[in-house]
Amino acid sequence: MTFTVLTFLYWVALLLVTLASLTCAAIAFKLHRQLFAIAAIGGLVVALVLAAVPVGTGPSAFGIVIGMLALALAVIGGGPVAVLALDLATNNSVPPGQHGGIMVLNAGKPAPTMAGVSDLETHEVLRGGVTIGILERLAVAGAILAGFPEAIAVVVAIKGVGRFTELAAAESRERFIIGTLSSLTWACACAALVPMALA
């Protein structure tokens, strides 16, 4: 009886921590606050540590709920985490565009800085990154949860081919690599929560 109560409390704690991380991620996504993105990362780390504890399997309903929470956390939380990684790496050195991309110098312009550059000398690249990131994380986390992690290679290939023509500028290459790696790492960590907890 004690083991059953401990197992139940373990699953409740795991669900609550994952839900708290998801809540922080949703707030970070909506309000663009880095503090909530950091809190979401901390919540995921705590959830992964809890999931690594071998307690035993709980009711199947808990497994379904943790799977849905992990998938939602992967999709919603990856955006703020990627933005946080980009801010830390680039220190906001590249101005954002009006359509979710970044502004880079047109080919042949020698100026290395964006300060004082007119609109005619720049163009926006990597537009639609938020939507692409959401779909990317949904596909990656879904592939892992479905037991088909090989699909991650397909997702990365499609994204790379689709963005290939926009990667001429160093700023866009840097942003593409950092954003993609942080987004994929987040999605994989969220998806790994489920098999770890169910093991």
Side-chain angles (χ1 to χ4, degrees), residues 135-148:
L135 295 173
E136 168 190 63
R137 292 185 297 274
L138 179 64
V140 167
I144 293 172
L145 292 175
F148 189 59

Side-chain angles (χ1 to χ4, degrees), residues 83-180:
V83 169
L84 177 63
L86 286 165
D87 287 348
L88 291 174
T90 63
N91 200 21
N92 293 321
S93 60
V94 181
Q98 294 180 349
H99 305 287
I102 58 170
M103 301 303 292
V104 296
L105 291 170
N106 292 330
K109 299 295 180 185
T113 179
M114 298 299 291
V117 177
S118 72
D119 290 342
L120 297 176
E121 296 174 317
T122 63
H123 67 283
E124 187 173 0
V125 295
L126 302 178
R127 295 169 55 153
V130 174
T131 304
I132 292 170
I134 288 171
L135 295 173
E136 168 190 63
R137 292 185 297 274
L138 179 64
V140 167
I144 293 172
L145 292 175
F148 189 59
E150 296 83 2
I152 296 172
V154 176
V155 172
V156 173
I158 290 171
K159 185 175 181 183
V161 169
R163 292 292 201 191
F164 181 75
T165 58
E166 297 180 282
L167 301 178
E171 299 93 340
S172 60
R173 284 192 302 271
E174 179 184 51
R175 188 172 183 88
F176 178 81
I177 292 169
I178 293 170
T180 299

Side-chain angles (χ1 to χ4, degrees), residues 7-143:
T7 302
F8 178 79
L9 291 176
Y10 161 80
W11 276 96
V12 168
L14 181 60
L15 291 173
L16 289 176
V17 169
T18 307
L19 183 61
S21 181
L22 177 59
T23 302
C24 290
I27 294 171
F29 186 83
K30 182 72 175 167
L31 301 180
H32 307 288
R33 299 283 170 87
Q34 288 185 349
L35 182 62
F36 287 101
I38 294 168
I41 294 169
L44 178 60
V45 169
V46 172
L48 287 169
V49 170
L50 277 174
V53 176
V55 174
T57 57
S60 60
F62 283 145
I64 294 169
V65 173
I66 196 71
M68 291 189 303
L69 288 176
L71 187 60
L73 183 58
V75 172
I76 295 171
V81 168
V83 169
L84 177 63
L86 286 165
D87 287 348
L88 291 174
T90 63
N91 200 21
N92 293 321
S93 60
V94 181
Q98 294 180 349
H99 305 287
I102 58 170
M103 301 303 292
V104 296
L105 291 170
N106 292 330
K109 299 295 180 185
T113 179
M114 298 299 291
V117 177
S118 72
D119 290 342
L120 297 176
E121 296 174 317
T122 63
H123 67 283
E124 187 173 0
V125 295
L126 302 178
R127 295 169 55 153
V130 174
T131 304
I132 292 170
I134 288 171
L135 295 173
E136 168 190 63
R137 292 185 297 274
L138 179 64
V140 167

